[in-house]
Amino acid sequence: MPFIEHVSDTDLERLALERVVPSLLAHGFSCVDGLLGDLAGGAVLDQVKEMHRSGVLQDGRLAGSVPGIHRRSIRGDKIAWVSGTERGCEAISFLLNLIDKLISMCANRLGNTIRERSKAMVACYPGNGAGYVKHVDNPNCDGRRITCIYYLNKNWNAKENGGVLRIFPEGTSCVADIQPLFDRLLFFWSDRRNPHEVQPCYATRYAITVWYFDSEERAEAKRRFRDLTASTEKQGNSSS
Ligand SMILES: Cc1cc(NC(=O)CCC(=O)O)nc(C)c1Br
Ligand SMILES: [Fe+3]
């Protein structure tokens, strides 16, 4: 599916150096509008809508189900993890490649060794009033450095539809309210600098999220996890 090259490499370079890097360094987050344009952005939206229609999006799992508290009250989103190579994800793949290019243009100026990322998480809030409680994406050095969210919602009106992403940047009482607008790309540091919440949603709200890893922190987190599992196995064997 050949897309019109809406964004040239020089455009991306300028976007990275003049917008994304300065804003990340100054505020800890950066918001870019009109990334793909209507044609390519619309193609991504169509593919996400088809995933929703065909039932591919499932209830977001909670890390360790919280007894007694109703799951929906914590996370109301339905999600699917895609690599972009799946059939029907060509437009999503185009988006991911473009974001990868943008991040790689930023990486050396952000002083981080960002060379890898997670798969893409396609998320839908069904609009039943559910949202996502305030949390930090990476509170304990699991390797995730930058959260990147691409929003897909046309004619979104926060007064009626809610669904605002509210970021509570560490060290200030100011908050950043980000509307989940169509063809909007948001970056923010994944760690404790950016607690955030999704306010209750009253209309269907689509977004695609990828997390970029700092390779050193990721390698260290994997080492810690290996040691942890090794020691619990040893305990298991000795106690059995
Ligand atoms: C699976 C998962 C999703 C999210 N999503 C949001 O914070 C919502 C952002 C938005 O849609 O504006 N965060 C974490 C820490 C995990 Br884990
Ligand atoms: Fe989050």
Side-chain angles (χ1 to χ4, degrees), residues 25-90:
L25 293 177
H27 310 295
F29 63 90
S30 171
C31 196
V32 171
D33 281 316
L35 181 76
L36 296 185
D38 277 347
L39 178 73
V44 175
L45 174 58
D46 290 345
Q47 292 194 333
V48 168
K49 279 180 176 172
E50 178 51 27
M51 288 173 73
H52 189 198
R53 191 201 59 75
S54 60
V56 168
L57 304 184
Q58 303 304 324
D59 282 354
R61 272 198 308 281
L62 278 179
S65 62
V66 190
I69 299 182
H70 186 51
R71 200 195 54 74
R72 279 218 177 288
S73 65
I74 299 182
R75 272 189 71 174
D77 55 344
K78 294 174 175 300
I79 64 169
W81 290 94
V82 299
S83 63
T85 56
E86 299 86 347
R87 195 172 41 75
C89 290
E90 299 76 6

Side-chain angles (χ1 to χ4, degrees), residues 108-128:
N108 42 26
R109 278 170 186 71
L110 294 175
N112 299 100
T113 51
I114 296 172
R115 283 191 287 271
E116 47 196 334
R117 65 163 162 80
S118 69
K119 290 173 86 169
M121 185 190 72
V122 178
C124 166
Y125 288 79
N128 56 3

Side-chain angles (χ1 to χ4, degrees), residues 53-209:
R53 191 201 59 75
S54 60
V56 168
L57 304 184
Q58 303 304 324
D59 282 354
R61 272 198 308 281
L62 278 179
S65 62
V66 190
I69 299 182
H70 186 51
R71 200 195 54 74
R72 279 218 177 288
S73 65
I74 299 182
R75 272 189 71 174
D77 55 344
K78 294 174 175 300
I79 64 169
W81 290 94
V82 299
S83 63
T85 56
E86 299 86 347
R87 195 172 41 75
C89 290
E90 299 76 6
I92 295 175
S93 173
F94 175 81
L95 167 72
L96 298 179
N97 291 331
L98 196 129
I99 300 174
D100 286 345
K101 234 192 286 187
L102 188 53
I103 285 286
S104 64
M105 291 169 178
C106 298
N108 42 26
R109 278 170 186 71
L110 294 175
N112 299 100
T113 51
I114 296 172
R115 283 191 287 271
E116 47 196 334
R117 65 163 162 80
S118 69
K119 290 173 86 169
M121 185 190 72
V122 178
C124 166
Y125 288 79
N128 56 3
Y132 199 127
V133 293
K134 185 175 175 181
H135 65 278
V136 168
D137 283 2
N138 173 13
N140 305 311
C141 300
D142 66 19
R144 288 180 288 176
R145 176 71 69 246
I146 296 179
T147 302
C148 176
I149 308 176
Y150 182 71
Y151 294 110
L152 286 154
N153 307 289
K154 293 189 171 180
N155 313 316
W156 188 269
N157 175 338
K159 286 178 188 42
E160 281 168 46
N161 309 139
V164 163
L165 173 75
R166 173 163 286 184
I167 304 177
F168 304 80
E170 193 181 38
T172 163
S173 57
C174 305
V175 296
D177 282 352
I178 312 284
Q179 300 211 27
L181 304 182
F182 173 73
D183 202 17
R184 166 170 280 187
L185 188 63
L186 173 69
F187 298 97
F188 57 87
W189 300 124
S190 307
D191 59 26
R192 294 168 186 269
R193 286 171 281 184
N194 288 312
H196 54 281
E197 67 184 12
V198 176
Q199 296 179 340
C201 282
Y202 301 101
T204 304
R205 179 188 187 275
Y206 293 118
I208 299 175
T209 303

